[in-house]
Amino acid sequence: MKTAELFDNRTVFSLEIFPPKPDADESVIYDTLEELSDICPDFISVTYGAGGGHNGCRTIRIASDIKSRYGVESVAHLPCAGLTKAQAAEILDSIREHGIENVLALRGDKPDDTPAAGDFHHASELISFIKENYDLNVIAACYPEVHPESKSAVDDLKWLRYKVDCGADHLITQLFLDNRYFFDFYEKVCIAGIDVPVEAGIMPVTNKRQIERMVKLCGVQLPKKFVRVLEKYEHNEAALRDAGIAYAIDQITDLITEGVDGIHLYTMNNPYVAHRIFDAVQSMVKVSSCAAD
Ligand code: FAD
């Protein structure tokens, strides 16, 4: 099923996982998926090469297994930086052969300032390439706090509109910890005439190092309320985890109440945390029934 078809007057609830590193045992992800599939999310997306690795085969295999073994819809991420069109076509052919219908088309993080080799400079070029050559549903990334490389919020919004004009069917946001950024962004998205569903990306922050990394990488602002939580519980692992879960539940409740199209939970491959969050909000979302049931 194409993810864009899921948004039928209800809040979509989806999950994101990452494949094990190339030198790690792949089977561990199946224990994680076993537990996550109990949630019966609307779909699970699988990252690709996050952190610079090229473990794309794992992404495709895992995304395919999510559908066939667990009966849950899946999405394969595909960052295009450094790929030639022939390489992209090879990966997309494999995605189709594995029965995957949804791709999250990304540029990917550039390792440094040198211009990347390959045929794609921006996600929009990959989106056009997919739409011209494949019958795939395309999801794209968006940034409530503006992409760190953007000249301005207006410029970022202009290029987001362009991604949708190129064929993006559905958007997922970067994580944010202050819902005001999302609400302001969503208003501008509507004014810009972008009319595809926008899922809010929520990351439960359960350790200090994790959020320090995200702040550095994505330029996410830490609200005062959140900083106080971090300072109070940074030396108490269990308390910080509980506070991080409570914070995410609070964010999600507010977003659903305000009518968000969907929640995309960055699970960090932690089913315990995902379950606690889902248990708290499940009556507010109505997930599609699992084909495996
Ligand atoms: P783009 O849409 O190309 O945008 C990048 C920058 O260029 C922005 O500043 C934009 O405003 C600007 N821009 C866009 N189009 C143009 C244009 N035509 N001309 C000039 N400027 C333009 N990374 C991974 O490596 N693997 C993953 O699995 C992964 N998953 C992600 C999932 C989500 C939900 C999100 C939000 C991000 C993910 N990322 C992943 C990170 C992503 O690759 C980075 O944020 C990257 O820096 C930008 O990717 P993009 O697709 O948004 O790029």
Side-chain angles (χ1 to χ4, degrees):
M1 184 181 198
K2 297 183 170 168
T3 61
E5 292 165 15
L6 293 164
F7 297 86
D8 53 354
N9 288 322
R10 67 188 182 85
T11 315
V12 162
F13 191 84
S14 59
L15 305 176
E16 180 172 308
I17 60 158
F18 52 85
K21 291 206 162 63
D23 53 355
D25 176 10
E26 190 166 319
S27 66
V28 291
I29 197 65
Y30 292 96
D31 299 335
T32 304
L33 282 170
E34 196 71 49
E35 292 182 57
L36 287 177
S37 62
D38 290 351
I39 290 176
C40 285
D42 285 297
F43 66 87
I44 299 180
S45 81
V46 188
T47 67
Y48 187 122
H54 285 284
N55 50 349
C57 294
R58 287 195 162 182
T59 299
I60 296 171
R61 208 162 38 238
I62 294 165
S64 173
D65 287 342
I66 288 171
K67 271 189 95 160
S68 58
R69 285 199 203 177
Y70 307 103
V72 174
E73 197 46 69
S74 67
V75 173
H77 294 211
L78 177 57
C80 61
L83 294 182
T84 61
K85 285 189 177 172
Q87 288 170 322
E90 207 178 305
I91 299 168
L92 288 159
D93 288 346
S94 174
I95 285 175
R96 282 310 287 144
E97 281 155 19
H98 280 80
I100 299 160
E101 294 178 69
N102 305 288
V103 174
L104 175 42
L106 299 145
R107 185 198 65 187
D109 283 318
K110 289 197 276 184
D112 53 37
D113 289 338
T114 48
D119 291 332
F120 303 95
H121 304 97
H122 286 289
S124 50
E125 293 166 24
L126 177 64
I127 295 167
S128 298
F129 181 76
I130 296 173
K131 286 295 177 181
E132 280 158 22
N133 298 291
Y134 297 87
D135 176 24
L136 284 163
N137 181 74
V138 177
I139 307 168
C142 60
Y143 303 84
E145 296 184 57
V146 181
H147 187 274
E149 290 167 36
S150 288
K151 280 192 273 181
S152 66
V154 172
D155 207 57
D156 207 27
L157 193 63
K158 180 179 85 181
W159 292 121
L160 180 62
R161 168 74 207 244
Y162 185 62
K163 286 203 275 197
V164 174
D165 290 344
C166 288
D169 300 289
H170 152 196
L171 301 172
I172 301 181
T173 76
Q174 181 60 279
L175 74 107
F176 54 90
L177 290 159
D178 184 338
N179 286 358
R180 278 177 308 175
Y181 287 112
F182 178 85
F183 295 132
D184 290 351
F185 167 74
Y186 190 71
E187 195 178 316
K188 290 181 191 127
V189 161
C190 296
I191 292 168
I194 296 171
D195 59 359
V196 298
V198 182
E199 275 197 277
I202 297 295
M203 181 180 286
V205 179
T206 54
N207 78 64
K208 200 170 174 222
R209 247 197 0 212
Q210 169 201 0
I211 192 61
E212 282 169 353
R213 196 174 149 266
M214 295 317 289
V215 168
K216 208 167 146 214
L217 195 69
C218 321
V220 174
Q221 297 294 317
L222 299 185
K224 272 198 194 125
K225 182 177 159 188
F226 185 81
V227 172
R228 282 205 303 277
V229 169
L230 270 187
E231 285 171 354
K232 188 162 171 80
Y233 301 117
E234 65 176 304
H235 302 299
N236 183 337
E237 207 180 305
L240 184 57
R241 185 198 58 206
D242 286 349
I245 291 170
Y247 194 92
I249 292 169
D250 192 37
Q251 267 195 288
I252 294 171
T253 304
D254 184 35
L255 288 160
I256 296 177
T257 305
E258 294 300 323
V260 72
D261 294 321
I263 300 291
H264 186 67
L265 192 67
Y266 295 104
T267 69
M268 306 307 287
N269 291 7
N270 187 328
Y272 171 79
V273 170
H275 266 281
R276 281 200 40 198
I277 292 173
F278 181 70
D279 289 349
V281 303
Q282 62 174 316
S283 59
M284 295 177 242
V285 296
K286 188 179 140 290
V287 291
S288 52
S289 56
C290 261
D293 281 350

